[in-house]
Amino acid sequence: MHQRARSAEDKARRADDLLKAAEALARELGGVRYVTLAAVTERVGLHRTGVRRYYASKEELLLELAERSWGQWRDAIRSAAGDRTGLGPARTAALISETLVALPVFCDLQTHVTLYLEGDVDIDRARRYKTNAFAAHDEIATTLDRASTMTIEQIADLLAAAIMLAAGLWQVSHPTPTLAALYEQEPRWGHVALDFGPRLKGLLEACAVGLDSARSDR
């Protein structure tokens, strides 16, 4: 077992280790739903009760991971956009979808954040999450506004659609073992376990083109 973190720097490093372990487990096990505090602490070599010094609960740990993931998406959007300009609706949607597909745990977490994570922590922690998530969202919108021909209002709508689609489609395309077995027995139902990336890209492009067409028709 690791020794207890003494300094603020050691504590921050240990907290980061716990976040990295939770993200790795989510990837390996097939979803956030399978992550437990026991598995996370075991991965970093920390006693099971020691995690309370860093996160009050599993919900707080996962909410922290979701908050950090917003920053990762913001940075991915910035990197992908670079100094590009004049991106039409379809190419703007493709950029958004490609960066989301590269962050599967973030997509998965969006469902859990809405369902319970941000509601199962204290109000100060929920406020911090909202503050940082909205700040990252606004920076993403600003980056896309510079790169795209779409208006900032259209981009805001497209980002809202992207988050909802990514959250829902990720869950559907990653069925539980029970549902996966059921789809093997009943192939006619298996079509719902769709290919996440292509479906997200196609639906977002359709949404972006539709938003742009609605402006043109006014």
Side-chain angles (χ1 to χ4, degrees):
M1 291 292 179
H2 293 298
Q3 293 183 350
R4 180 174 179 175
R6 299 293 182 183
S7 68
E9 183 179 341
D10 288 340
K11 186 174 181 180
R13 186 182 303 112
R14 186 65 54 78
D16 187 61
D17 288 343
L18 290 165
L19 287 175
K20 289 177 179 176
E23 183 173 12
L25 285 165
R27 287 176 176 268
E28 294 168 16
L29 300 175
V32 170
R33 65 169 71 93
Y34 303 112
V35 174
T36 65
L37 281 182
V40 171
T41 54
E42 181 179 357
R43 176 64 63 93
V44 301
L46 185 67
H47 191 276
R48 187 174 304 182
T49 60
V51 71
R52 305 295 179 182
R53 293 195 294 271
Y54 309 96
Y55 301 102
S57 62
K58 183 179 82 168
E59 289 74 24
E60 185 176 45
L61 170 65
L62 293 176
L63 191 64
E64 181 84 14
L65 183 58
E67 182 180 315
R68 187 171 74 166
S69 297
W70 270 102
Q72 292 172 336
W73 190 31
R74 175 203 59 214
D75 294 344
I77 289 284
R78 285 175 175 169
S79 178
D83 57 0
R84 299 162 72 184
T85 59
L87 296 180
R91 291 174 67 192
T92 302
L95 187 153
I96 293 172
S97 63
E98 288 163 8
T99 53
L100 282 171
V101 169
L103 295 168
V105 176
F106 176 60
C107 296
D108 182 14
L109 278 165
Q110 293 312 300
T111 296
H112 299 276
V113 166
T114 303
L115 285 178
Y116 67 94
L117 291 180
E118 61 185 0
D120 285 355
V121 297
D122 65 47
I123 192 168
D124 289 335
R125 186 63 191 85
R127 179 181 290 109
R128 194 176 94 197
Y129 170 77
K130 287 291 194 185
T131 298
N132 291 325
F134 278 126
H137 171 278
D138 291 346
E139 290 179 52
I140 289 169
T142 298
T143 298
L144 293 174
D145 187 37
R146 289 195 297 265
S148 175
T149 61
M150 300 179 73
T151 68
I152 191 65
E153 292 81 10
Q154 291 173 330
I155 288 168
D157 287 343
L158 187 60
L159 288 175
I163 289 297
M164 290 187 289
L165 285 170
L169 293 176
W170 195 96
Q171 302 302 330
V172 171
S173 61
H174 295 79
T176 63
T178 297
L179 284 176
L182 177 61
Y183 296 152
E184 287 185 4
Q185 296 174 14
E186 301 290 348
R188 68 185 186 280
W189 295 336
H191 70 279
V192 300
L194 45 85
D195 193 345
F196 174 62
R199 186 61 63 91
L200 177 63
K201 183 175 183 290
L203 289 174
L204 269 186
E205 287 181 358
C207 181
V209 171
L211 287 168
D212 192 60
S213 295
R215 178 181 62 172
S216 300
D217 292 340
R218 288 174 185 170

Short mmCIF file of all heavy atoms in Angstrom, two decimals, residues 104-145:
data_model
loop_
_atom_site.label_atom_id
_atom_site.label_comp_id
_atom_site.label_asym_id
_atom_site.label_seq_id
_atom_site.Cartn_x
_atom_site.Cartn_y
_atom_site.Cartn_z
N PRO A 104 -14.71 8.39 -25.23
CA PRO A 104 -15.85 7.53 -24.91
C PRO A 104 -16.32 7.62 -23.47
O PRO A 104 -17.53 7.55 -23.21
CB PRO A 104 -15.33 6.12 -25.24
CG PRO A 104 -13.84 6.23 -25.15
CD PRO A 104 -13.53 7.60 -25.65
N VAL A 105 -15.40 7.77 -22.53
CA VAL A 105 -15.81 7.86 -21.12
C VAL A 105 -16.59 9.14 -20.88
O VAL A 105 -17.56 9.16 -20.12
CB VAL A 105 -14.59 7.75 -20.19
CG1 VAL A 105 -15.01 7.93 -18.73
CG2 VAL A 105 -13.90 6.39 -20.37
N PHE A 106 -16.21 10.23 -21.54
CA PHE A 106 -16.96 11.48 -21.44
C PHE A 106 -18.38 11.29 -21.94
O PHE A 106 -19.34 11.74 -21.31
CB PHE A 106 -16.24 12.56 -22.24
CG PHE A 106 -16.96 13.88 -22.30
CD1 PHE A 106 -17.25 14.58 -21.15
CD2 PHE A 106 -17.35 14.43 -23.52
CE1 PHE A 106 -17.91 15.81 -21.19
CE2 PHE A 106 -18.00 15.64 -23.58
CZ PHE A 106 -18.29 16.34 -22.42
N CYS A 107 -18.52 10.64 -23.09
CA CYS A 107 -19.87 10.38 -23.64
C CYS A 107 -20.69 9.55 -22.68
O CYS A 107 -21.87 9.85 -22.43
CB CYS A 107 -19.75 9.67 -24.98
SG CYS A 107 -18.92 10.64 -26.27
N ASP A 108 -20.09 8.52 -22.13
CA ASP A 108 -20.78 7.66 -21.16
C ASP A 108 -21.20 8.46 -19.93
O ASP A 108 -22.33 8.36 -19.45
CB ASP A 108 -19.84 6.52 -20.78
CG ASP A 108 -20.44 5.51 -19.82
OD1 ASP A 108 -21.67 5.51 -19.62
OD2 ASP A 108 -19.68 4.69 -19.27
N LEU A 109 -20.30 9.28 -19.44
CA LEU A 109 -20.57 10.04 -18.21
C LEU A 109 -21.72 11.02 -18.35
O LEU A 109 -22.39 11.34 -17.37
CB LEU A 109 -19.31 10.80 -17.79
CG LEU A 109 -18.26 10.01 -17.01
CD1 LEU A 109 -16.94 10.76 -16.99
CD2 LEU A 109 -18.75 9.72 -15.59
N GLN A 110 -21.97 11.52 -19.57
CA GLN A 110 -23.03 12.51 -19.74
C GLN A 110 -24.40 11.96 -19.31
O GLN A 110 -25.23 12.70 -18.80
CB GLN A 110 -23.08 13.01 -21.18
CG GLN A 110 -21.86 13.82 -21.58
CD GLN A 110 -21.50 14.88 -20.58
OE1 GLN A 110 -22.31 15.78 -20.30
NE2 GLN A 110 -20.31 14.80 -20.02
N THR A 111 -24.61 10.67 -19.52
CA THR A 111 -25.86 10.06 -19.05
C THR A 111 -25.90 10.04 -17.53
O THR A 111 -26.91 10.41 -16.91
CB THR A 111 -25.99 8.62 -19.58
OG1 THR A 111 -26.10 8.66 -21.00
CG2 THR A 111 -27.22 7.93 -19.01
N HIS A 112 -24.82 9.62 -16.92
CA HIS A 112 -24.78 9.46 -15.46
C HIS A 112 -24.80 10.79 -14.72
O HIS A 112 -25.38 10.90 -13.65
CB HIS A 112 -23.55 8.64 -15.07
CG HIS A 112 -23.54 7.26 -15.65
ND1 HIS A 112 -24.20 6.20 -15.07
CD2 HIS A 112 -22.99 6.78 -16.79
CE1 HIS A 112 -24.04 5.12 -15.79
NE2 HIS A 112 -23.32 5.44 -16.85
N VAL A 113 -24.18 11.81 -15.33
CA VAL A 113 -24.21 13.14 -14.72
C VAL A 113 -25.65 13.61 -14.58
O VAL A 113 -26.08 14.08 -13.52
CB VAL A 113 -23.39 14.15 -15.56
CG1 VAL A 113 -23.71 15.59 -15.14
CG2 VAL A 113 -21.90 13.88 -15.39
N THR A 114 -26.39 13.49 -15.65
CA THR A 114 -27.78 13.97 -15.65
C THR A 114 -28.67 13.14 -14.73
O THR A 114 -29.53 13.68 -14.02
CB THR A 114 -28.35 13.93 -17.08
OG1 THR A 114 -27.52 14.73 -17.93
CG2 THR A 114 -29.77 14.49 -17.11
N LEU A 115 -28.48 11.83 -14.75
CA LEU A 115 -29.35 10.94 -13.98
C LEU A 115 -29.14 11.05 -12.48
O LEU A 115 -30.11 11.05 -11.71
CB LEU A 115 -29.14 9.50 -14.41
CG LEU A 115 -29.74 9.08 -15.75
CD1 LEU A 115 -29.40 7.62 -16.05
CD2 LEU A 115 -31.26 9.27 -15.75
N TYR A 116 -27.88 11.13 -12.04
CA TYR A 116 -27.68 11.12 -10.59
C TYR A 116 -26.40 11.79 -10.07
O TYR A 116 -26.38 12.28 -8.94
CB TYR A 116 -27.72 9.69 -10.06
CG TYR A 116 -26.58 8.81 -10.51
CD1 TYR A 116 -25.44 8.66 -9.73
CD2 TYR A 116 -26.64 8.11 -11.71
CE1 TYR A 116 -24.39 7.85 -10.14
CE2 TYR A 116 -25.59 7.29 -12.13
CZ TYR A 116 -24.48 7.17 -11.34
OH TYR A 116 -23.45 6.37 -11.75
N LEU A 117 -25.34 11.85 -10.85
CA LEU A 117 -24.07 12.30 -10.28
C LEU A 117 -24.15 13.72 -9.72
O LEU A 117 -23.75 13.98 -8.57
CB LEU A 117 -22.96 12.22 -11.33
CG LEU A 117 -22.52 10.82 -11.75
CD1 LEU A 117 -21.42 10.91 -12.79
CD2 LEU A 117 -22.06 10.00 -10.55
N GLU A 118 -24.65 14.67 -10.50
CA GLU A 118 -24.67 16.05 -10.04
C GLU A 118 -25.75 16.29 -8.98
O GLU A 118 -25.71 17.31 -8.29
CB GLU A 118 -24.84 17.02 -11.21
CG GLU A 118 -26.12 16.84 -11.99
CD GLU A 118 -26.18 17.75 -13.22
OE1 GLU A 118 -25.21 18.51 -13.44
OE2 GLU A 118 -27.19 17.70 -13.95
N GLY A 119 -26.66 15.34 -8.83
CA GLY A 119 -27.69 15.46 -7.80
C GLY A 119 -27.35 14.74 -6.51
O GLY A 119 -28.02 14.95 -5.49
N ASP A 120 -26.30 13.92 -6.53
CA ASP A 120 -25.94 13.13 -5.36
C ASP A 120 -24.69 13.64 -4.67
O ASP A 120 -24.05 12.91 -3.90
CB ASP A 120 -25.74 11.66 -5.77
CG ASP A 120 -27.06 10.96 -6.03
OD1 ASP A 120 -28.11 11.58 -5.79
OD2 ASP A 120 -27.04 9.80 -6.48
N VAL A 121 -24.31 14.87 -4.95
CA VAL A 121 -23.20 15.51 -4.24
C VAL A 121 -23.75 16.76 -3.56
O VAL A 121 -24.88 17.18 -3.82
CB VAL A 121 -22.05 15.88 -5.20
CG1 VAL A 121 -21.45 14.64 -5.83
CG2 VAL A 121 -22.53 16.85 -6.29
N ASP A 122 -22.94 17.37 -2.68
CA ASP A 122 -23.44 18.56 -2.00
C ASP A 122 -23.50 19.74 -2.98
O ASP A 122 -22.92 19.71 -4.07
CB ASP A 122 -22.61 18.89 -0.76
CG ASP A 122 -21.17 19.27 -1.06
OD1 ASP A 122 -20.94 20.10 -1.97
OD2 ASP A 122 -20.25 18.75 -0.39
N ILE A 123 -24.20 20.78 -2.57
CA ILE A 123 -24.50 21.88 -3.49
C ILE A 123 -23.24 22.62 -3.93
O ILE A 123 -23.15 23.08 -5.08
CB ILE A 123 -25.52 22.86 -2.85
CG1 ILE A 123 -26.05 23.84 -3.91
CG2 ILE A 123 -24.91 23.59 -1.66
CD1 ILE A 123 -27.25 24.63 -3.44
N ASP A 124 -22.25 22.72 -3.06
CA ASP A 124 -21.02 23.41 -3.45
C ASP A 124 -20.28 22.62 -4.54
O ASP A 124 -19.74 23.21 -5.48
CB ASP A 124 -20.11 23.60 -2.24
CG ASP A 124 -20.65 24.65 -1.27
OD1 ASP A 124 -21.41 25.53 -1.73
OD2 ASP A 124 -20.32 24.59 -0.08
N ARG A 125 -20.28 21.29 -4.42
CA ARG A 125 -19.61 20.48 -5.43
C ARG A 125 -20.37 20.53 -6.74
O ARG A 125 -19.78 20.57 -7.82
CB ARG A 125 -19.48 19.02 -4.95
CG ARG A 125 -18.66 18.16 -5.92
CD ARG A 125 -17.24 18.69 -6.01
NE ARG A 125 -16.48 18.09 -7.10
CZ ARG A 125 -16.49 18.52 -8.35
NH1 ARG A 125 -17.26 19.55 -8.70
NH2 ARG A 125 -15.74 17.95 -9.27
N ALA A 126 -21.71 20.52 -6.66
CA ALA A 126 -22.52 20.63 -7.87
C ALA A 126 -22.29 21.99 -8.55
O ALA A 126 -22.21 22.08 -9.78
CB ALA A 126 -24.00 20.46 -7.53
N ARG A 127 -22.18 23.04 -7.74
CA ARG A 127 -21.93 24.37 -8.31
C ARG A 127 -20.58 24.42 -9.02
O ARG A 127 -20.46 25.01 -10.10
CB ARG A 127 -21.97 25.43 -7.21
CG ARG A 127 -21.68 26.85 -7.72
CD ARG A 127 -21.70 27.89 -6.62
NE ARG A 127 -23.06 28.10 -6.12
CZ ARG A 127 -23.49 27.69 -4.93
NH1 ARG A 127 -22.67 27.05 -4.11
NH2 ARG A 127 -24.73 27.91 -4.56
N ARG A 128 -19.57 23.81 -8.43
CA ARG A 128 -18.25 23.81 -9.07
C ARG A 128 -18.27 23.06 -10.39
O ARG A 128 -17.68 23.50 -11.38
CB ARG A 128 -17.21 23.18 -8.14
CG ARG A 128 -15.78 23.44 -8.59
CD ARG A 128 -14.80 22.88 -7.60
NE ARG A 128 -14.39 21.53 -7.98
CZ ARG A 128 -13.81 20.67 -7.16
NH1 ARG A 128 -13.59 21.00 -5.90
NH2 ARG A 128 -13.45 19.48 -7.58
N TYR A 129 -18.99 21.94 -10.41
CA TYR A 129 -19.10 21.19 -11.66
C TYR A 129 -19.78 22.04 -12.73
O TYR A 129 -19.30 22.15 -13.86
CB TYR A 129 -19.87 19.89 -11.47
CG TYR A 129 -20.19 19.24 -12.79
CD1 TYR A 129 -19.21 18.55 -13.49
CD2 TYR A 129 -21.46 19.36 -13.37
CE1 TYR A 129 -19.47 17.99 -14.74
CE2 TYR A 129 -21.73 18.80 -14.60
CZ TYR A 129 -20.74 18.12 -15.28
OH TYR A 129 -21.00 17.58 -16.52
N LYS A 130 -20.91 22.63 -12.38
CA LYS A 130 -21.66 23.43 -13.35
C LYS A 130 -20.83 24.61 -13.85
O LYS A 130 -20.80 24.91 -15.06
CB LYS A 130 -22.95 23.94 -12.71
CG LYS A 130 -24.02 22.89 -12.49
CD LYS A 130 -24.60 22.40 -13.79
CE LYS A 130 -25.88 21.63 -13.60
NZ LYS A 130 -26.38 21.05 -14.87
N THR A 131 -20.14 25.28 -12.95
CA THR A 131 -19.33 26.44 -13.32
C THR A 131 -18.27 26.06 -14.34
O THR A 131 -18.11 26.71 -15.39
CB THR A 131 -18.65 27.04 -12.07
OG1 THR A 131 -19.65 27.50 -11.16
CG2 THR A 131 -17.75 28.22 -12.46
N ASN A 132 -17.55 24.99 -14.07
CA ASN A 132 -16.45 24.59 -14.97
C ASN A 132 -16.95 23.94 -16.25
O ASN A 132 -16.35 24.13 -17.32
CB ASN A 132 -15.50 23.65 -14.22
CG ASN A 132 -14.74 24.38 -13.13
OD1 ASN A 132 -14.40 25.55 -13.26
ND2 ASN A 132 -14.49 23.71 -12.02
N ALA A 133 -18.03 23.20 -16.18
CA ALA A 133 -18.60 22.59 -17.38
C ALA A 133 -19.14 23.66 -18.33
O ALA A 133 -18.90 23.61 -19.55
CB ALA A 133 -19.70 21.60 -17.02
N PHE A 134 -19.86 24.64 -17.78
CA PHE A 134 -20.39 25.71 -18.63
C PHE A 134 -19.25 26.56 -19.21
O PHE A 134 -19.34 27.03 -20.35
CB PHE A 134 -21.36 26.60 -17.84
CG PHE A 134 -22.75 26.04 -17.74
CD1 PHE A 134 -23.36 25.87 -16.50
CD2 PHE A 134 -23.45 25.67 -18.87
CE1 PHE A 134 -24.65 25.36 -16.40
CE2 PHE A 134 -24.74 25.16 -18.79
CZ PHE A 134 -25.34 25.00 -17.55
N ALA A 135 -18.19 26.78 -18.43
CA ALA A 135 -17.06 27.55 -18.94
C ALA A 135 -16.41 26.83 -20.12
O ALA A 135 -16.09 27.45 -21.15
CB ALA A 135 -16.04 27.78 -17.83
N ALA A 136 -16.23 25.52 -19.99
CA ALA A 136 -15.66 24.74 -21.09
C ALA A 136 -16.58 24.76 -22.30
O ALA A 136 -16.12 24.91 -23.44
CB ALA A 136 -15.41 23.30 -20.64
N HIS A 137 -17.88 24.62 -22.05
CA HIS A 137 -18.86 24.67 -23.15
C HIS A 137 -18.76 25.98 -23.91
O HIS A 137 -18.76 26.01 -25.15
CB HIS A 137 -20.27 24.48 -22.59
CG HIS A 137 -21.36 24.74 -23.57
ND1 HIS A 137 -21.82 26.01 -23.88
CD2 HIS A 137 -22.08 23.88 -24.36
CE1 HIS A 137 -22.77 25.94 -24.79
NE2 HIS A 137 -22.96 24.66 -25.10
N ASP A 138 -18.69 27.09 -23.17
CA ASP A 138 -18.65 28.40 -23.81
C ASP A 138 -17.37 28.58 -24.62
O ASP A 138 -17.37 29.22 -25.69
CB ASP A 138 -18.79 29.50 -22.77
CG ASP A 138 -20.18 29.54 -22.14
OD1 ASP A 138 -21.10 28.89 -22.70
OD2 ASP A 138 -20.34 30.19 -21.09
N GLU A 139 -16.27 28.04 -24.12
CA GLU A 139 -15.01 28.13 -24.87
C GLU A 139 -15.08 27.29 -26.15
O GLU A 139 -14.54 27.68 -27.20
CB GLU A 139 -13.86 27.67 -23.99
CG GLU A 139 -13.54 28.64 -22.86
CD GLU A 139 -12.40 28.14 -21.99
OE1 GLU A 139 -11.34 27.81 -22.55
OE2 GLU A 139 -12.58 28.08 -20.76
N ILE A 140 -15.74 26.14 -26.06
CA ILE A 140 -15.95 25.31 -27.25
C ILE A 140 -16.78 26.07 -28.29
O ILE A 140 -16.45 26.10 -29.48
CB ILE A 140 -16.63 23.99 -26.86
CG1 ILE A 140 -15.66 23.09 -26.10
CG2 ILE A 140 -17.16 23.26 -28.11
CD1 ILE A 140 -16.32 21.88 -25.46
N ALA A 141 -17.85 26.69 -27.83
CA ALA A 141 -18.72 27.44 -28.73
C ALA A 141 -17.96 28.59 -29.39
O ALA A 141 -18.12 28.85 -30.59
CB ALA A 141 -19.93 27.96 -27.97
N THR A 142 -17.13 29.27 -28.62
CA THR A 142 -16.35 30.39 -29.16
C THR A 142 -15.36 29.90 -30.22
O THR A 142 -15.19 30.52 -31.28
CB THR A 142 -15.59 31.10 -28.03
OG1 THR A 142 -16.54 31.65 -27.10
CG2 THR A 142 -14.73 32.23 -28.58
N THR A 143 -14.70 28.77 -29.94
CA THR A 143 -13.76 28.20 -30.91
C THR A 143 -14.47 27.84 -32.20
O THR A 143 -13.98 28.14 -33.30
CB THR A 143 -13.09 26.94 -30.32
OG1 THR A 143 -12.34 27.32 -29.16
CG2 THR A 143 -12.17 26.29 -31.33
N LEU A 144 -15.62 27.20 -32.10
CA LEU A 144 -16.37 26.80 -33.29
C LEU A 144 -16.94 28.00 -34.03
O LEU A 144 -17.06 27.98 -35.26
CB LEU A 144 -17.49 25.83 -32.90
CG LEU A 144 -17.02 24.47 -32.38
CD1 LEU A 144 -18.21 23.66 -31.89
CD2 LEU A 144 -16.27 23.70 -33.47
N ASP A 145 -17.28 29.04 -33.30
CA ASP A 145 -17.80 30.25 -33.94
C ASP A 145 -16.76 30.87 -34.85
O ASP A 145 -17.08 31.39 -35.92
CB ASP A 145 -18.23 31.24 -32.85
CG ASP A 145 -18.93 32.47 -33.42
OD1 ASP A 145 -19.69 32.32 -34.40
OD2 ASP A 145 -18.71 33.57 -32.89
#
